[in-house]
Amino acid sequence: MAAVYSGISLKLKSKTTSWEDKLKLAHFAWISHQCVLPNKEQVLLDWAGQSLVAFYKKKLELKEDVVERLWIYIDNILYSKKLQNALNNGKTINLQLSLVKIINERIAEFSLSGSQRNICAVLSCCQGILSTPALAVIYTARQELMVALLSQLCWAACRQPEGAVVAPLFEVIHLALGHYLLIQQQQVNPRRAFGELTGHLLQPCLVLRHLLSGGAWVRAGHGQPRQALGRDLRGQIEAMLQGGALQPELLLSYKEELLEKQQQGDTKMGAIKTVLAPMGTVISRLVDPGFCEPGLHSAVVASSVPLLYKLFLDSYFREGTQLLCFQVLPRLFDCLRISHLQEEQPGALPVPDWTPELLAVEQLLTSVASTGVYNVAADRIRHGEAQFRFYRRLAELLLKCSQAPVPAWFRCLQVLVSLNHLILEPDLGNLLALAWVGVEVTDSRTRKAQEALLHTLFQTYVKLRQLPRLFEEVLGVICRPAAEVQRPLVLAWGPATVLRECLLELPPSQVLDTWSLVLHKFQSAVLPYLRGDGDVALKALSLSLLLHWVMSNMRTLDSGTPLPIVRRMQCMMETMLQVLLQPLLDLLEPSGPEPELWLQKACDCALLLSCTWAQVDTMLSLNCSQYHAVSVPPTGVALDGPNCPSLLPGVETHQWKKIEKATAQVSSLGRYCLEQLYLQKMKRTLMQNDFQSEKALRMLRSDAAYLLGSGRESLTQSTTASWDGQVGTVSMLTYPVAHWHLIVSNLTILLPYLCPGDVKYLAGVLLRTLQMHKAQEGSADQEPNITLGKLSEAVLHSPLFPEMQSLHSAFLLCLSVRCTSILCSGAQMDPGLLRLQLPWLFQKDPMDVAYWENRCANVGPDGIEPRGEIAQSFLSLVRGDFPIQLEKEQSESILGLLQLAAALQLDNLLTASHMHCFLLLLSTAVTKLGGSCSPSLTLKFLMTCYRLLGYLQRGKSARSVLKVMYVSDIFEIMLTSLFKASSGLRIDSDDPSWLEFLQVIGTLLEHLLQVLVQGKLSMALNFGKIIAFLSQCQEGTGTTAGGQLGVQHPLGRQLLLVSLTTLCQVLGPCVQGRKWHKAPDALPGLLLQAGASLQLCTAGGPWGRPLHPAFLSAVSALLRTDTGLHCNHKETEICPGMEKALLCHAAFYRSVFSQVLADLPALTGNPQAFPAAVRFLMLFLSAPELYPKEQSVFTSMFHSVRQVLADPAVPIEVSQDIESHLGALFTQMLEVGTTEDFRTVMQGVLQGLDVRNAWTADLPAVLSALTLTKLLLACPFSGEKASLFWRACPQIVTALMLQNREACQEQPVPLAVIGPILDVLAALLRRGEGSISNPHHVGLAFNILLSIPLDQLKPSAYSSIFLRMHSVLFSVLQCHPQVMLKAIPSFLNCFNRLLFSVVHEGRQKGKGSTDDLPVVVECARLVQRMYSHIAARAEDVTAFSPFMVAQYVTEVQKVTLYPAVKHLLQEGIYLIMDLCIEPDVQFLRASLPPGARDAFKELHSDYVKYHKNSREGERRYTV
């Protein structure tokens, strides 16, 4: 056959063969093993390449599809495994140079004209060549080809339309850059590398890097590079720029170009042929406007300038080159358009272009600051302040062309301040005006940049102790003449925080200097011109805010403050009161209905400063005994007037009335500050000894009433404004929030002195704002500032709210009134008739105790008890057509109110409140819901009502409900209503929300019955009526006015089942303990009736498969009742029928037992059903008389448990959740099981741990065996069972080691297997203390720990594996110390793996997120604890202590740790260093390598300073 195909080569070259046949023959020749051609790969590649070369050189005419197929043919050969195998086997295959040139030409054509003919195939061929080293040599051997290819590839990527880049283009660029970097590193001629870069590659690579760094290419859209690939490309471009333009050999050229001859130093000339003016060459290529369009060019320059400067610093910055590195900065800065604005108009640069330009300047300055290029002293002494003059010009330019909306503008100024504050000192006033006082910043990013600038500015002047100098400039800016109305200085949260921190660091004398400056400026430049001038009034407000902040945030004086400072403070307070506050207050006169601007602002100033002065005066009088308070009430002033408190000394009562009238006209800062003054007055009154006198109480009530009434009108408006908590931002818009904040923050002070009407008003505002907050919940939660709703919610959830009894009761009353009004709005009958049937809905005062006492005491005309009357009324309404029906909107409104009520502590109500709430909630729960309510809304509504009823019945007043209704009546009312509601509820019986509802109903019924049992209140009567009612329901005889109750509905049957279950659960223990509880004799018979009803209900089915949780709970309750009665029968002769009860139900229990075993794997996913099934199995185990004779109960249950654990459909998370339930079951199984049963368990464990399961990838079998072992180790066993287990222990440990070894060989490592292996190993070592006799088996744990990888794990997985490895190691240390001492090198190797992993994970990762840091800190804490345990065995590990220190130092010196991690590790290693003696320290200093030696010296110095000395001090006082 070979001879048949031997002529293919001739046919391919023949002119008579059609191109269609040639392509088919070529394809067949390549794929066929029967075609024998000498050097087939080379022949076919040459044929296809020569054909394409001939076509592109116009020597051959081919159709377009033939050309495309030829390219595809070459591409298929390049990527084929056959070619790769041939090359790997050493076969030589050469590409034609002409073909490579054709590829370059096609890419160049694509780059210039955008022609995409066959470009995908061409790029794919190029990628195939570059990705194969044996073929890529044609590019690497001819450097000019690689440079041309790389240049055209970059231009092609840059010139493609957005979103239309050819797919493989970036991968080809990545490969080409990688090859060129290798060529560049091997280049011995620096001139050639520089010339190639600047001549061909610089411009396209800079454009490409810019596009990869910003704009639309950042997003990995269609046709755009992936984020990781884009990052790699940028890194390659930067490496290429550094390797070409910034080689070490070019340093001399840069010095010759940039430095004067006297600055060049001692340089050897003529060492190499240097490149003349390399920086000029690079800059000329960069600023050349012709290589890209103008709009893109400026952005490319702005992004490239900081990059080039950073690379220059990375290459050449070292001691002695600071001036050279600086000289590059002005040259590169001149490339930016911003540098030419000094000659042009500032508006010549468009607004959008400022951001990239300023970002470039910021990055340039940041590079200078971070590397230390600028040394103030060296620049002044050696270089004639060359750098300083440049930075001054730059600062002048930035201030001349202010761009406050751009965050980078603030950051540039911040770096200049941090470099040298003298750079901006001459323009400090302009800086403050443009960056703070005269600018309003709204954008969050810009605001952060502004705050950072202010922080740096304030911190700098604080360190220089020149803050008064800075404040002098601030005051000058504020008081400048304004061409238009100024905006007042606003100390928002950010600047205010910065100023607070700085003021706290200053000594009191400097704060007083600053205070005096502001006071003097106010008195001299503002106060005389304030009347009638709005501009001056705004300046006054700015000064007032500044003075307020200085006074409020200075460090308070105490008794230890020097007396001169105290006297100066006393003088300052008195001066301020006399020369500023009293003149300001004298200006305040009420005007017309709309006060003038100057009067509004003057009022704000006066009251703000008065409030601040009063607070400071009070604080000083409390903290400093040498200070004498100025605000002492004047003598002779009557204190019994309602509005005559002494808010400030020297201000008469009639003047305060005028001020109150002036502030009442506008809701603004002044009114808020006046409220603060009244609050201060209340606090001062409460600090007096006679605060409980009648006059003082009248004054307190008057002040509290004024505080509440001042903002009453503003709170009636539903404002959504937010407030940042700063007094300076209080305005007409934010005043309601500030007022409400003041009220709720001081409720404990105000409430005792408010009248009931005011408390009711407060509760109404609280409810209204909470409802408003609920309606705006989505947007309100994202608002960082304070809102009305957030304040009210904080009150609602405060632990102090229940202690405010009056407000708590008033709020509950508002809730009940609102609920009642909604219920009455849904009435379907005459209100008068409804009032007779549901009188509690119309009660004037629901919390009136006397009303309920009278009602419970009276007997009706027919001798009916009141509770019987109420119950009959309720039952008649529930059985019939309930007179209230709620539609969707009404239901949602009530649901919102009930959710608010759920936040209250309903279990601590008074009797009257409890009874009213119970009847209201019960009325709400049995209300009909209209057709507009969805099933989910209906179920949520019912669940909320009954859950709240459950909360009530857990409370201290639970028995008070029995004064108005019997428990049996409540039981019947609730279930009758629920049966009716469930019959119309379209919801699945296994829906999670329905199952949760059943739990809520069961809990409520249990609480009701427990109240009955605990109070021994007619137990036989109530239980009898309940059982009779449930029996009627079960038999189907329970009816309503509309027909059957709906018990036959599946949901109704589940409700009935839950009711019977709860009844048996409560009644069973009561009957079993009858001798102690003195229960009535009728109860055992009632329990038998309940059990029979429950058995009929459960057996009545069908309950579906898998079994329903309600069914399982019911059967468990019935079985618990039967087994309890059977066990007590011999001791207490209760009832003749009890002995037969268990045997009568035996067949039923066995049937359920079989169903549960069969359904157990399917029940794992149901969090309600699985625990119920396990409880039934445990109860079944405790009744041996129920065991079926034909099978072993233990064996059946064990196989079922194994099926659960080995079921692959059960998620690992679910398996972990059910372990606790299976553990309890397994414990009971081992208690009742025999030794043979235990041997069966051990066989199952060993079979599951067999390594063949790992080889066959039977993961479920391995995991089930591991879980079984863990459960087994948690169970108590002894005697022969314990002997069996410990004899099998060596097999278990060996199996764990083999399983771990197999798992660690997989990629990725299956953590789901390794985690349980470590858990089992740790439990085995702890349980085996004293039982594992062979130390070798303990030593196998070290092999397991050493094979587990700890790198490349996610934080959660890393934490989990680390904790388990630490647990194993700690178990060896604590439980097997002798083994640890004999194998201490292995132990330390395992421990060092934990240490090294913490060091690796705890290193600082640049700008990376610190979200994972808490995990690493916790692991570091465990390492520190392990160090302490090791150090506790000093006599055994002393010899190894220097080696442990050496390991620690060697690893830690490689990285920079986060401080929290470093502190914990150091605390641990200090304990090991305590064991080192002086020769050990000398040995470490001599033997450690240089880097580690330096780290050890620093560590030892800290050890001596912080640890050793303190230990010596402790030992001195140790007995």
Side-chain angles (χ1 to χ4, degrees), residues 978-1148:
L978 286 172
F979 288 145
K980 289 177 63 176
S982 64
S983 63
L985 199 58
R986 299 294 177 262
I987 195 168
D988 294 335
S989 60
D990 56 352
D991 187 278
S993 57
W994 172 252
L995 298 179
E996 183 184 0
F997 177 66
L998 291 180
Q999 285 186 335
V1000 169
I1001 294 300
T1003 302
L1004 172 58
L1005 296 178
E1006 183 179 359
H1007 288 325
L1008 285 169
L1009 295 177
Q1010 288 292 353
V1011 171
L1012 176 64
V1013 171
Q1014 291 169 4
K1016 306 181 187 66
L1017 303 171
S1018 305
M1019 293 171 59
L1021 175 63
N1022 279 282
F1023 278 121
K1025 291 179 66 176
I1026 291 171
I1027 293 172
F1029 167 71
L1030 293 177
S1031 300
Q1032 291 179 4
C1033 295
Q1034 183 180 3
E1035 295 166 2
T1037 58
T1039 59
T1040 66
Q1044 293 291 330
L1045 270 177
V1047 180
Q1048 301 308 316
H1049 189 273
L1051 301 183
R1053 289 182 59 79
Q1054 291 179 18
L1055 284 168
L1056 178 62
L1057 198 58
V1058 168
S1059 306
L1060 288 167
T1061 302
T1062 307
L1063 183 63
C1064 289
Q1065 287 173 343
V1066 175
L1067 192 54
C1070 180
V1071 173
Q1072 293 167 23
R1074 183 171 67 94
K1075 183 170 62 176
W1076 296 275
H1077 292 290
K1078 299 181 180 179
D1081 294 335
L1083 289 186
L1086 293 175
L1087 179 59
L1088 286 177
Q1089 294 179 34
S1093 299
L1094 182 57
Q1095 197 272 338
L1096 288 174
C1097 187
T1098 52
W1103 292 104
R1105 301 291 293 272
L1107 296 172
H1108 197 275
F1111 173 80
L1112 290 169
S1113 298
V1115 175
S1116 300
L1118 181 62
L1119 180 55
R1120 183 181 294 107
T1121 302
D1122 285 349
T1123 52
L1125 293 176
H1126 184 76
C1127 293
N1128 290 339
H1129 174 65
K1130 295 181 180 179
E1131 299 180 6
T1132 56
E1133 296 296 331
I1134 299 175
C1135 178
M1138 285 185 183
E1139 187 177 1
K1140 300 179 181 179
L1142 185 63
L1143 299 177
C1144 292
H1145 302 152
F1148 172 67

Side-chain angles (χ1 to χ4, degrees), residues 1296-1336:
L1296 291 176
M1297 185 191 69
L1298 295 175
Q1299 290 287 349
N1300 182 75
R1301 185 182 64 187
E1302 295 297 327
C1304 291
Q1305 291 175 356
E1306 298 182 24
Q1307 291 297 331
V1309 177
L1311 300 178
V1313 177
I1314 290 180
I1317 287 176
L1318 293 174
D1319 289 337
V1320 170
L1321 184 60
L1324 191 64
L1325 291 171
R1326 287 193 298 269
R1327 185 77 181 266
E1329 182 178 7
S1331 300
I1332 301 179
S1333 56
N1334 192 337
H1336 169 71

Side-chain angles (χ1 to χ4, degrees), residues 891-925:
S891 303
E892 290 175 343
S893 299
I894 287 190
L895 192 57
L897 295 171
L898 295 180
Q899 288 171 348
L900 292 178
L904 303 175
Q905 292 189 9
L906 298 180
D907 56 352
N908 199 30
L909 298 181
L910 299 176
T911 300
S913 301
H914 186 101
M915 287 193 289
H916 176 75
C917 288
F918 184 88
L919 291 174
L920 179 60
L921 285 172
L922 189 59
S923 304
T924 307

Side-chain angles (χ1 to χ4, degrees), residues 1204-1488:
V1204 169
L1205 297 175
D1207 189 357
V1210 179
I1212 295 176
E1213 296 78 10
V1214 175
S1215 298
Q1216 293 172 349
D1217 292 338
I1218 65 177
E1219 271 188 27
S1220 59
H1221 303 293
L1222 291 178
L1225 177 62
F1226 214 59
T1227 300
Q1228 189 160 353
M1229 286 173 60
L1230 292 182
E1231 287 179 0
V1232 302
T1234 63
T1235 304
E1236 287 301 318
D1237 294 333
F1238 191 84
R1239 185 175 283 109
T1240 302
V1241 173
M1242 293 303 303
Q1243 289 174 354
V1245 167
L1246 294 174
Q1247 288 172 4
L1249 292 177
D1250 194 331
V1251 72
R1252 285 175 291 188
N1253 291 326
W1255 295 342
T1256 58
D1258 192 358
L1259 182 62
V1262 176
L1263 290 177
S1264 67
L1266 289 170
T1267 308
L1268 277 174
T1269 310
K1270 195 191 307 184
L1271 296 177
L1272 194 59
L1273 287 166
C1275 297
F1277 51 80
S1278 58
E1280 193 173 350
K1281 294 178 182 178
S1283 177
L1284 274 175
F1285 180 83
W1286 294 118
R1287 282 202 300 270
C1289 180
Q1291 294 175 262
I1292 295 175
V1293 176
T1294 305
L1296 291 176
M1297 185 191 69
L1298 295 175
Q1299 290 287 349
N1300 182 75
R1301 185 182 64 187
E1302 295 297 327
C1304 291
Q1305 291 175 356
E1306 298 182 24
Q1307 291 297 331
V1309 177
L1311 300 178
V1313 177
I1314 290 180
I1317 287 176
L1318 293 174
D1319 289 337
V1320 170
L1321 184 60
L1324 191 64
L1325 291 171
R1326 287 193 298 269
R1327 185 77 181 266
E1329 182 178 7
S1331 300
I1332 301 179
S1333 56
N1334 192 337
H1336 169 71
H1337 299 139
V1338 177
L1340 292 178
F1342 300 138
N1343 296 339
I1344 295 176
L1345 294 179
L1346 290 172
S1347 62
I1348 296 175
L1350 276 170
D1351 52 345
Q1352 304 299 326
L1353 295 178
K1354 294 181 179 179
S1356 58
Y1358 171 79
S1359 173
S1360 173
I1361 297 299
F1362 186 97
L1363 293 175
R1364 286 163 164 159
M1365 291 179 67
H1366 174 271
S1367 178
V1368 173
L1369 209 56
F1370 185 71
S1371 300
V1372 174
L1373 180 67
Q1374 289 293 100
C1375 303
H1376 305 275
Q1378 296 305 317
V1379 178
M1380 187 271 288
L1381 294 176
K1382 291 180 181 178
I1384 196 166
S1386 299
F1387 178 86
L1388 292 179
N1389 283 340
C1390 297
F1391 173 67
N1392 284 332
R1393 291 198 71 235
L1394 298 182
L1395 170 66
F1396 295 166
S1397 74
V1398 169
V1399 171
H1400 181 266
E1401 296 295 330
R1403 71 192 189 283
Q1404 296 186 20
K1405 306 178 181 70
K1407 296 182 180 179
S1409 172
T1410 58
D1411 295 342
D1412 307 333
L1413 186 58
V1415 171
V1416 185
V1417 170
E1418 184 58 34
C1419 295
R1421 185 173 287 107
L1422 292 176
V1423 170
Q1424 187 250 350
R1425 287 178 56 194
M1426 184 64 77
Y1427 269 130
S1428 67
H1429 289 297
I1430 295 173
R1433 303 180 181 274
E1435 67 280 359
D1436 301 318
V1437 299
T1438 300
F1440 295 91
S1441 57
F1443 301 101
M1444 295 178 68
V1445 175
Q1447 289 275 16
Y1448 171 84
V1449 171
T1450 304
E1451 193 67 21
V1452 167
Q1453 61 96 20
K1454 299 176 184 176
V1455 297
T1456 301
L1457 294 172
Y1458 282 107
V1461 178
K1462 183 179 180 181
H1463 172 72
L1464 288 169
L1465 296 182
Q1466 280 185 340
E1467 288 296 321
I1469 200 64
Y1470 287 163
L1471 301 175
I1472 303 300
M1473 293 177 71
D1474 285 336
L1475 308 180
C1476 295
I1477 57 178
E1478 188 59 30
D1480 295 333
V1481 176
Q1482 298 301 328
F1483 166 73
L1484 289 170
R1485 285 177 175 166
S1487 60
L1488 286 172

